[in-house]
Amino acid sequence: MTHLVRFAGGTGDIRVGLLTGDELRPLAVTSMSDLLRRPVAEIRELAEAAGEPVAGARLLPPLDGRMEVWAAGVTYLRSEEARREESVDEDVYARVYRAERPELFFKSAAWRVVTDGEPIAVRADSANNVPEPELGLLLTAGGEIAGYLVVDDVSSRSIEGENPLYLPQAKIYTGSCAVSARVRPAWEVPDVLALALRMRIRRDGAEVFAGEANTAQLNRKPAELVEYLWRDNDFPDGAVLSTGTSVVPGLDQGLQPGDVVEIEINEVGSLHSPVVLGAEEVRRALAER
């Protein structure tokens, strides 16, 4: 399986490359944002002309520069049902699920994103926090889908459930956005609406939650979500758009510090994240890159 990656070389220089199995070959670009300023046809040509293999690299989140992560909500029926279960205003989510306009919200700046093996955080002021496994779209500055990745839209159910207007506090905080280091090129995924998705939560080595879904269940198609995100908005360095979740733990199955979240999407990749309480350990991981 082939992936686009952003990596730190042995001398600390940060580059973009094509990873095929264990073989990593650099691309002739200076950054991920440099890559995403180009159309997908040119990105594919750059990937096919990747350089000689390099060794000793460390994979980084595939975002830099002015890239942002945005997310869509209530795009699966199960998500709509879960939001109504937790909310004091159930009808808000039912209306969003049926509406012409999707729910889109800002999730993270590039510098705050964590990746494989780095910690995600549950809020210290929230009684119920959950992972939300989602298919992410890597988008060029022109709004083309260049690739697919795994996203964990970590959320506070108790804060959002108290009042939907608290959604920014429930969704946007240090340690709330994890993405896979590996991006599957769009031209290698034949049908993005036929991808199996699985999530497990492990606690003290035991599985305490497992769920699965399929992107065929999406109520909003990826192209539709991208079109709405690009309306009267600019992403000069590209963006990541997370497409929503259909795997939602029950109200009594929230995350605890020490848990490990494992997410897999067929044909795309995986994401493994240890869970910590509060932002301090996440800040330390970001500072140590």
Side-chain angles (χ1 to χ4, degrees):
M1 192 179 292
T2 297
H3 291 90
L4 297 167
V5 297
R6 178 172 167 262
F7 66 95
T11 60
D13 56 318
I14 297 177
R15 307 175 70 180
V16 175
L18 188 72
L19 184 64
T20 306
D22 294 327
E23 183 181 79
L24 175 58
R25 296 179 294 147
L27 304 188
V29 294
T30 59
S31 63
M32 185 62 74
S33 51
D34 179 19
L35 184 72
L36 294 175
R37 295 185 199 112
R38 307 159 191 262
V40 168
E42 186 177 346
I43 293 173
R44 184 170 184 175
E45 291 174 358
L46 287 166
E48 292 170 349
E52 293 299 313
V54 297
R58 177 170 56 90
L59 299 187
L60 301 169
L63 294 96
D64 54 29
R66 295 172 293 176
M67 291 180 67
E68 299 173 350
V69 180
W70 283 66
V74 201
T75 54
Y76 290 85
L77 179 60
R78 174 65 187 118
S79 178
E80 185 265 343
E81 293 170 341
R83 293 297 178 265
R84 287 193 289 106
E85 290 171 4
E86 72 196 23
S87 178
V88 296
D89 189 0
E90 299 180 5
D91 192 49
V92 169
Y93 298 96
R95 293 202 309 269
V96 168
Y97 184 76
R98 296 191 301 265
E100 178 181 351
R101 179 182 293 274
E103 177 195 12
L104 298 174
F105 55 90
F106 176 79
K107 180 66 182 179
S108 181
W111 63 268
R112 194 185 280 129
V113 173
V114 298
T115 192
D116 296 285
E118 296 179 334
I120 55 175
V122 293
R123 288 191 66 119
D125 62 352
S126 170
N128 192 334
N129 305 270
V130 291
E132 296 188 5
E134 307 186 7
L135 174 71
L137 314 176
L138 182 71
L139 303 170
T140 70
E144 292 184 279
I145 300 174
Y148 303 103
L149 65 164
V150 183
V151 179
D152 189 353
D153 171 22
V154 189
S155 305
S156 165
R157 295 186 75 175
S158 52
I159 291 176
E160 184 181 359
E162 182 179 346
N163 190 317
L165 294 179
Y166 294 160
L167 182 139
Q169 296 173 75
K171 294 282 191 178
I172 308 168
Y173 61 90
T174 301
S176 70
C177 183
V179 306
S180 58
R182 305 179 185 211
V183 179
R184 186 83 161 128
W187 56 86
E188 295 189 358
V189 179
D191 187 357
V192 71
L193 294 178
L195 303 178
L197 182 153
R198 294 171 294 277
M199 182 178 75
R200 293 180 292 271
I201 302 175
R202 299 190 184 276
R203 184 172 300 152
D204 298 323
E207 185 179 277
V208 295
F209 174 83
E212 59 184 51
N214 194 291
T215 55
Q217 301 164 333
L218 265 170
N219 184 47
R220 309 277 189 177
K221 301 303 183 280
E224 173 193 359
L225 296 173
V226 175
E227 192 273 327
Y228 270 94
L229 181 61
W230 247 250
R231 288 188 181 185
D232 290 324
N233 217 339
D234 298 306
F235 299 95
D237 287 349
V240 168
L241 175 57
S242 197
T243 57
T245 189
S246 185
V247 179
V248 184
L251 289 172
D252 60 345
Q253 296 176 303
L255 289 173
Q256 296 181 16
D259 289 352
V260 176
V261 178
E262 303 174 350
I263 304 170
E264 299 175 356
I265 302 179
N266 280 10
E267 299 296 325
V268 175
S270 62
L271 175 63
H272 293 193
S273 307
V275 180
V276 299
L277 177 64
E280 189 56 39
E281 289 187 47
V282 181
R283 294 191 191 103
R284 188 176 301 114
L286 293 172
E288 290 176 352
R289 281 183 185 158

